[in-house]
Amino acid sequence: MIKFLDLKAVTDIHVDEIKKAVSEVIDSGWYIRGEANKRFEVDYARYIGTECCVGVGNGLDALALIYRAYIEMGLMDEGDEVIVPANTFIASILAITENGLKPVLVEPRMDTLEIDDELIEQAITSKTKSILLVHLYGRCAYTEKIGELCKRYNLKLVEDNAQAHGCRFTSSHPNSSIVLPPSKTGSLGDAAGHSFYPGKNLGALGDAGAITTNDRQLAETVRALSNYGSHIKYISEYKGRNSRLDEIQAAVLSVKLKYLDEENHHRQTIAKLYIDGIKNPLVSLPQRMDDANNVYHIFPIFCERRDLLQQYLSSQGIQTQIHYPIPPHLQQCYVEWSGLHLPITEKIHQTELSLPISPVLSVEDATTVVQAINAFCQ
């Protein structure tokens, strides 16, 4: 059996270091917001390239707390609009609506799967305050045009970096008015939310998340909001919540962060094998981009006979997943969008199939996946 993702094997790569780090936390007697948390926040901010990092309970909380902080800082109000890709995972949308903000869904491009920057400006109104950019599948979604739009309309650019730890943006348009040096996703906008769910490129052993930013006021507001609204114990400035990165998860993440670039490189090796090897006319792949701009958290392929292909691969001992079977605008919790017709988003969700990819997937197993896909002819 070729597993879609073998989490035990992923953990086993660094199991001795992880056990040592966890034992040190246990022996310290300090389990919330201690030295392990401080160390990870410093190291991860340095890795991403931002001044600040605040550990929180999970990726959804990271995004929700960013928008809540902007509201508390007087920069946004309930009813303001946030532009977001229509084909994202539901968490991106939930973070917006949880704060009483209005998501404005914009279609992606079929060839990149990321938000179509040519469609953003027509979605901007006087109520628009932010673009939530999602680096879906591990691919950089930022473009110079998006940066220019944020500057022109004074919009906060928030990144959902849940799937793209270690991904980079490299400018291809040096004459643009918004030119960034080669920078990691999570440092491209005003703030970013990160998920360290176990299956991510940088995964904890449970739920965990963080925000990164160069805005110290935002960081400190998020830190208070995630700690019952309190900067000082028992004194609550805000109506906050409990969403803190615990010491054990922080210690585990510090171990795994050291190996993230190496493990992303292995993902890129597997992806190249898929890209070069899959030749079935029934199967299409997204447009290729420079490896630095894609860390392949998920490797998606597209097939009109997706369900049959998935069944066929299962019969060959190959596990796959669908990301995601139901788009946000067709979810029951957003019944008010049920009349929307978003053809590109719907096509992606109807035809997408995710292939096995991870730091522990062997070249031999990936070759077997390629051979099986090329043999599919139903």
Side-chain angles (χ1 to χ4, degrees):
M1 170 66 71
I2 299 176
K3 293 184 178 181
F4 176 76
L5 175 61
D6 189 340
L7 278 179
K8 185 179 185 304
V10 170
T11 302
D12 283 347
I13 302 174
H14 313 299
V15 69
D16 291 337
E17 283 187 75
I18 289 171
K19 287 181 177 179
K20 183 175 182 291
V22 170
S23 293
E24 289 173 355
V25 170
I26 293 170
D27 291 343
S28 76
W30 195 289
Y31 308 127
I32 296 289
R33 286 194 168 179
E35 292 304 314
N37 208 306
K38 293 175 184 176
R39 182 166 57 252
F40 174 72
E41 288 181 346
V42 169
D43 290 346
Y44 194 62
R46 183 181 299 117
Y47 177 82
I48 292 296
T50 57
E51 293 183 14
C52 306
C53 171
V54 181
V56 296
N58 55 70
L60 171 56
D61 281 0
L63 293 172
L65 286 164
I66 289 169
Y67 282 111
R68 173 68 186 284
Y70 280 137
I71 291 171
E72 295 291 352
M73 292 163 63
L75 299 177
M76 295 182 191
D77 292 306
E78 289 192 12
D80 284 341
E81 296 173 354
V82 178
I83 291 172
V84 62
N87 63 316
T88 187
F89 178 55
I90 195 73
S92 309
I93 311 291
L94 292 170
I96 299 168
T97 57
E98 177 181 316
N99 285 289
L101 302 169
K102 180 182 176 181
V104 177
L105 306 181
V106 171
E107 286 263 62
R109 285 174 46 175
M110 190 69 208
D111 60 343
T112 68
L113 312 177
E114 309 298 342
I115 193 169
D116 188 341
D117 60 7
E118 295 295 329
L119 301 179
I120 291 175
E121 189 166 19
Q122 67 193 47
I124 296 173
T125 73
S126 61
K127 297 287 286 182
T128 308
K129 294 296 175 66
S130 173
I131 297 174
L132 178 53
L133 191 64
V134 185
H135 303 296
L136 203 61
Y137 305 116
R139 181 181 182 126
C140 181
Y142 180 86
T143 66
E144 288 91 347
K145 184 176 183 66
I146 291 172
E148 290 166 352
L149 288 171
C150 287
K151 182 178 181 180
R152 187 186 315 161
Y153 291 98
N154 192 28
L155 306 178
K156 291 295 184 185
L157 180 59
V158 177
E159 298 172 76
D160 182 340
N161 201 48
Q163 299 187 4
H165 313 127
C167 185
R168 289 182 176 273
F169 167 74
T170 304
S171 175
S172 58
H173 301 286
N175 295 325
S176 168
S177 63
I178 303 293
V179 177
L180 297 175
S183 305
K184 286 192 175 76
T185 56
S187 70
L188 303 174
D190 296 284
H194 307 255
S195 168
F196 306 121
Y197 182 78
K200 304 298 187 184
N201 290 35
L202 179 60
L205 298 186
D207 278 319
I211 69 112
T212 53
T213 183
N214 290 319
D215 185 337
R216 292 191 176 275
Q217 183 184 2
L218 175 69
E220 290 309 306
T221 304
V222 167
R223 193 176 297 280
L225 285 167
S226 65
N227 189 42
Y228 304 102
S230 175
H231 287 290
I232 302 170
K233 193 171 184 178
Y234 301 132
I235 300 175
S236 293
E237 184 177 349
Y238 311 106
K239 296 176 182 177
R241 67 170 73 179
N242 175 16
S243 179
R244 300 173 298 201
L245 177 62
D246 72 68
E247 286 289 278
I248 288 177
Q249 302 305 340
V252 170
L253 289 166
S254 287
V255 170
K256 298 180 76 173
L257 179 60
K258 296 183 294 183
Y259 304 100
L260 177 57
D261 288 343
E262 176 185 339
E263 293 179 359
N264 281 344
H265 179 70
H266 182 76
R267 289 174 178 270
Q268 290 162 345
T269 298
I270 297 299
K272 184 177 187 303
L273 192 153
Y274 285 155
I275 292 166
D276 293 343
I278 295 173
K279 303 297 182 183
N280 191 322
L282 298 175
V283 174
S284 61
L285 282 67
Q287 178 190 82
R288 186 170 186 176
M289 64 195 306
D290 185 83
D291 272 350
N293 298 73
N294 198 335
V295 292
Y296 297 100
H297 170 60
I298 293 167
F299 192 94
I301 61 174
F302 299 88
C303 180
E304 296 291 341
R305 305 174 190 175
R306 187 263 312 279
D307 294 343
L308 287 174
L309 175 57
Q310 185 175 42
Q311 292 168 17
Y312 170 76
L313 292 176
S314 179
S315 74
Q316 301 300 304
I318 299 168
Q319 289 183 344
T320 58
Q321 288 192 13
I322 297 170
H323 293 88
Y324 303 93
I326 305 173
H329 71 285
L330 298 179
Q331 296 284 353
Q332 186 175 348
C333 62
Y334 291 115
V335 65
E336 64 271 25
W337 290 338
S338 60
L340 284 180
H341 179 46
L342 300 169
I344 297 175
T345 292
E346 290 162 18
K347 182 175 182 180
I348 289 172
H349 287 258
Q350 290 162 2
T351 60
E352 193 274 346
L353 188 65
S354 302
L355 302 184
I357 192 164
S358 77
V360 297
L361 183 71
S362 69
V363 168
E364 292 75 19
D365 281 348
T367 301
T368 299
V369 173
V370 169
Q371 292 170 345
I373 291 172
N374 287 341
F376 175 74
C377 60
Q378 296 185 46

